[in-house]
Amino acid sequence: MSERPIGAYAVLSDCRSAALVSDTGSVDWLCLPRFDGPAVFARLLDQDAGHWSIRPDAPSQVSRRYLPGTLVLETTFRTSTGTAVLLDALALGKRERGHAMGRSSPGALLRQITCTHGQLDITVEFAPRPEFGLVQPVMATIPGGLVARGGAHVLMLSTGLDLRVTGSTARAEVTLEAGDRLDLALSSAPAWGRDPKPWPGRRIRRRLGDTCAGWRSWSTLHDAYTGPWQEQVRHSGRVLRALTFVPSGAIVAAVTTSLPESVGGTRNWDYRYTWVRDASFTLQALATAACKQEKGDFFAFLAQAAATQLERGMDLQVMYGIGGEHDLSERVLAHLSGWRGSAPVRVGNDAWRQRQLDVYGELLDAAHQTLPHDVPIDPPVRTFLLQCAEAAAHRWADPDQGIWEGRGPERHFLHSKLMCWVALDRAIALAPALSAQDRVADWQRIREQIRQAIENQGFDPHAGAFTQAFHTRRLDASALMLPLVGFLPGHDPRVRSTVEAVVRQLTDSRGLVRRYLNDDIDGDEGTFLLCTFWLAQALAVTGQTVRARQVFEDALSHANDVGLLPEEVDSRTGEALGNFPQAFSHIGLINAARAIRAAEAARTPDADTRLGHPNE
C-alpha cells in the first residue's frame, strides 16, 4: 500500500506523457507512450507496482524547485557529509522551440545527479513493473546500460553504473565526490521491433539542455500575464501545457488515475482524458496565459472528436480520449491496493456514457472565445456548432446527471440549465459567423424561457440562494457560475445572497469550499480548490476584492513546494486529495487572478470590508 502524500510529488511532462517524482527522488508514476497508457512505474498506487529511485544513503535535508521558466525538476539533497543536486525531466525533441515544443518528444526520462560539495553515498534502484505492475520484466545488463524485457515494450536504462540485478530489480551503490556526475536515461521501444540503444552521457546532457531551452522558449512566448500572483499564473500556464497532448491538442484533467476523493474511499476515477466541460474555462485560462496556438488546437480537437455524434442524433459526450477516442469503458485493476488502501483502482471512466447537458454551453463558449464573430467559420465547424446550439435549444428542459457526474438518477440541475442558456447566448453572438441569422429569433425566445425557469425554479427564497437543482434547498458551489458566465450581474442581490450562502454553508475552517453537502456520497470528500477559486472570482465580480484576495490566498496556500495544486484538500488534515496535478485547479487559479486584477483595475469599491474573512 502506498503511503507517501500526494503533495510530495512533482510532475514531469514531454507533452505526450507524464511522470511523478517524489521528494525522496523516486519516480513512482510513469505512463508510456501516452498520458493514458499503461504505467511502467505505479508505486503511487501500490508499493510493489514499480519505481526508479536515486537517493543518498544517509539522512538528508531536501529542497526542490523547477528550473526558472521550465518543468525541469531540481532536487537538492544535503547530508552531513555533502550535497548533491538531482535533475529530472522528460525529454523534449531536438531544438524544439515555442509552439512546436513537444511535437517530436522521444519518450525518454532523463536523470542527472551531481555532487556539488563534499561526498555522498548514492543508491540507484530500478524496478520497472509494466502494465500497472502486472509484468515483472526479465533484465540483462549490456555495455552502457540494462535491458528490461516483458510486456508490450522493451525498456532501456542507459547508465555507466555497474548494476546488480536481482529478479526484476536492479541496484547500484556509488560514492560521489565534489564534481562527480551520473547521467541516466530511460527509453522504450515496442517489443516486436529493434531494441533501443543506450544513450551515451553526452547525449543525455545535450537532451537535458534542449529540454530546458524548449520550456524556456515556450515560457518566453506565453508569460504575458502581469498583475497579482504573476509567477503563479505563469507557472499554471506551464502546468496546463504539461497536461497537453500535443499531437491532438487535448488537455488531460490530471496525469493520474484513482487518487481518491477521500482516504480509503471508492470514488477513485481515471482523469487521464479530456472533458468537454473544461473547454471554456481552459480557454479563458489559456487566453490569460497568452496561449493563442494552444486555444486553437484545443478547440479543433474538441470539434473533431465530437463532430459526428450530433449528426446521428446522439447526445454529445462529456469526455473523450486524448486521441479523440469515444469508448472509455471502465475496468478495475484488482491487483493494486490503491493509494492508502483506497480501492478500487480504475482505468477508463464510465462517465463517458452519461448525459450532461452543460457540454453544449461549454463548447459554444469555447467557440465564442476562440473564433471570429463576423467572419464565416469553416463549414464542418459551423455545422457542428449549429448542431450544438440546436441541441441545447431542444434538450435544455430535460434532466441529466450534472456537472459533478453523479451516478444516481437524472435531475434538473441548475448548472446544466445555465450552460444551455450560455449555449444560446453565445450562438446568438456568433450568428453572423455561423450564417444563422435566421435562427436568432428562436434562440432568443428559448434563451428567455431558460432564464425564466432558472430565476423562478432555481432560486429558493428560504435558502436565500440559487440551489443545486430545481425545487430543492440543497446548495451547490456551481451556482457561483451565474455571474461568471454573465447570466446575472455581480450587483444582483440574488447573486450576493448566493455567494454569502456558499460562504456560510459550504466553506470550511480553512476557507476552502465544498462542492455540495450531500448525504448520499461515499465517504467524506475533501474541499474543492476549483470551487474555492470560483468563490474568489465571484467575490471579485461582486466588488468584494479584499475578501476575494483572502479566499484566493487560502486556496493558493495548498499548492505544494513546487507550485502544483491537487483537486481537493482534506478538511481535517489539510492534505492533498484527488488526481494530481489537477488542470481544473490551475485553471481556477488563472481565471480568479485575472478577475481580481480586473476588479481592482476598475477600482470597484469593496462592498463590505467589515466582513473580513469569509469565516468570521
Side-chain angles (χ1 to χ4, degrees):
M1 182 171 69
S2 174
E3 292 283 352
R4 186 159 296 280
I6 293 168
Y9 288 95
V11 70
L12 310 176
S13 172
D14 59 3
C15 301
R16 292 170 179 263
S17 59
L20 291 179
V21 187
S22 78
D23 55 6
T24 61
S26 182
V27 180
D28 290 346
W29 184 256
L30 174 64
C31 293
L32 292 174
R34 307 191 334 178
F35 292 111
D36 58 353
V40 173
F41 305 121
R43 184 157 69 171
L44 183 68
L45 297 176
D46 190 291
Q47 193 64 27
D48 298 324
H51 67 280
W52 178 16
S53 63
I54 301 176
R55 57 177 176 78
D57 292 344
S60 60
Q61 294 181 337
V62 179
S63 60
R64 299 188 299 178
R65 64 166 186 156
Y66 286 113
L67 297 182
T70 81
L71 287 188
V72 175
L73 180 67
E74 177 189 84
T75 304
T76 301
F77 301 101
R78 293 180 176 86
T79 73
S80 60
T81 62
T83 301
V85 175
L86 175 65
L87 294 181
D88 286 311
L90 278 168
L92 299 177
K94 294 179 180 178
R95 293 177 293 280
E96 288 185 338
R97 300 291 185 267
H99 299 304
M101 188 186 75
R103 297 196 181 278
S104 60
S105 301
L109 175 57
L110 310 178
R111 314 198 73 185
Q112 179 189 89
I113 187 164
T114 305
C115 179
T116 59
H117 172 74
Q119 176 181 295
L120 300 92
D121 293 327
I122 300 292
T123 295
V124 177
E125 187 168 80
F126 178 67
R129 301 291 185 267
E131 296 187 44
F132 297 98
L134 279 177
V135 176
Q136 297 205 10
V138 176
M139 292 183 168
T141 59
I142 62 171
L146 175 146
V147 176
R149 294 183 174 87
H153 287 81
V154 175
L155 301 174
M156 170 63 68
L157 176 63
S158 302
T159 176
L161 288 172
D162 183 14
L163 294 166
R164 183 175 67 258
V165 176
T166 304
S168 295
T169 300
R171 289 174 57 94
E173 295 84 21
V174 62
T175 299
L176 297 182
E177 297 183 350
D180 290 345
R181 179 185 61 223
L182 296 176
D183 299 304
L184 306 95
L186 175 65
S187 54
S188 69
W192 57 87
R194 293 182 178 180
D195 285 356
K197 294 182 179 180
W199 288 24
R202 63 181 179 277
R203 183 182 182 190
I204 296 171
R205 295 189 293 275
R206 184 170 63 248
R207 296 308 285 270
L208 190 57
D210 282 342
T211 301
C212 288
W215 276 108
R216 286 172 177 150
S217 173
W218 187 90
S219 295
T220 298
L221 291 175
H222 297 84
D223 284 352
Y225 174 85
T226 58
W229 304 288
Q230 180 171 298
E231 291 308 312
Q232 290 86 349
V233 168
R234 292 179 175 185
H235 179 60
S236 290
R238 284 189 286 276
V239 173
L240 292 179
R241 180 61 175 185
L243 300 179
T244 301
F245 183 64
V246 163
S248 69
I251 298 178
V252 296
V255 306
T256 58
T257 180
S258 300
L259 293 179
E261 296 177 7
S262 62
V263 178
T266 61
R267 293 164 65 90
N268 316 321
W269 315 118
D270 193 345
Y271 274 23
R272 299 172 301 154
Y273 307 110
T274 191
W275 268 253
V276 175
R277 170 184 307 119
D278 297 7
S280 63
F281 305 119
T282 302
L283 292 175
Q284 289 175 20
L286 291 176
T288 302
C291 302
K292 183 177 180 180
Q293 181 67 42
E294 289 77 3
K295 286 197 303 177
D297 290 346
F298 189 32
F299 181 75
F301 162 77
L302 289 175
Q304 181 169 330
T308 62
Q309 291 184 298
L310 293 174
E311 292 177 1
R312 293 178 287 157
M314 301 170 63
D315 284 323
L316 195 65
Q317 276 186 212
V318 303
M319 58 190 295
Y320 296 92
I322 58 176
E325 298 85 358
H326 288 206
D327 187 344
L328 307 177
S329 295
E330 195 173 285
R331 62 189 176 93
V332 170
L333 302 181
H335 64 285
L336 297 178
S337 61
W339 182 80
R340 296 192 180 172
S342 304
V345 172
R346 297 178 172 94
V347 293
N349 195 315
D350 277 345
W352 74 274
R353 306 177 190 273
Q354 291 190 352
R355 188 185 209 200
Q356 296 176 26
L357 298 175
D358 60 315
V359 296
Y360 303 113
E362 283 136 4
L363 261 175
L364 277 155
D365 194 37
H368 183 260
Q369 296 177 57
T370 304
L371 303 176
H373 296 184
D374 53 358
V375 177
I377 300 169
D378 291 342
V381 175
R382 181 170 72 240
T383 299
F384 169 61
L385 294 175
L386 282 168
Q387 290 170 341
C388 286
E390 295 297 343
H394 288 94
R395 302 176 191 178
W396 73 268
D398 296 343
D400 73 341
Q401 286 168 304
I403 181 176
W404 305 127
E405 299 178 356
R407 299 198 175 188
E410 293 184 343
R411 299 169 62 196
H412 289 280
F413 287 101
L414 181 141
H415 179 266
S416 299
K417 313 299 184 189
L418 172 65
M419 295 313 293
C420 286
W421 180 91
V422 169
L424 295 177
D425 183 74
R426 304 322 190 242
I428 291 166
L430 284 167
L434 297 174
S435 300
Q437 290 91 335
D438 60 326
R439 296 295 301 136
V440 167
D442 278 345
W443 288 343
Q444 288 173 331
R445 176 178 55 81
I446 298 170
R447 181 182 63 174
E448 183 58 26
Q449 291 176 0
I450 301 173
R451 172 178 289 280
Q452 293 299 321
I454 290 174
E455 293 189 354
N456 294 333
Q457 301 178 64
F459 186 84
D460 183 84
H462 298 285
F466 287 97
T467 56
Q468 183 180 69
F470 286 179
H471 309 300
T472 181
R473 294 185 183 179
R474 179 174 287 170
L475 290 184
D476 192 299
S478 62
L480 294 169
M481 292 302 300
L482 285 159
L484 305 188
V485 298
F487 181 84
L488 288 172
H491 59 74
D492 187 289
R494 294 165 298 176
V495 168
R496 288 179 171 272
S497 62
T498 298
V499 170
E500 294 305 322
V502 168
V503 170
R504 288 193 308 271
Q505 298 186 42
L506 298 184
T507 305
D508 73 355
S509 61
R510 297 175 183 274
L512 307 182
V513 179
R514 296 182 182 275
R515 296 186 294 179
Y516 45 67
L517 291 177
N518 278 3
D519 298 327
D520 55 355
I521 64 171
D522 174 27
D524 182 22
E525 72 172 15
T527 50
F528 263 61
L529 289 182
L530 170 66
C531 297
T532 308
F533 285 120
W534 279 350
L535 177 58
Q537 194 172 352
L539 287 166
V541 301
T542 60
Q544 302 179 74
T545 55
V546 171
R547 296 177 72 189
R549 276 184 166 269
Q550 182 61 61
V551 172
F552 188 101
E553 290 289 352
D554 288 340
L556 185 60
S557 70
H558 291 280
N560 72 359
D561 60 322
V562 289
L564 300 178
L565 292 167
E567 179 182 26
E568 303 181 32
V569 173
D570 189 311
S571 289
R572 294 165 297 180
T573 66
E575 256 200 302
L577 292 173
N579 285 303
F580 182 82
Q582 179 73 207
F584 235 165
S585 297
H586 285 277
I587 290 164
L589 181 155
I590 293 172
N591 291 340
R594 187 192 65 239
I596 294 170
R597 180 186 67 175
E600 292 178 339
R603 300 176 185 268
T604 304
D606 199 307
D608 192 356
T609 57
R610 294 172 298 170
L611 290 174
H613 192 280
N615 293 307
E616 294 179 358

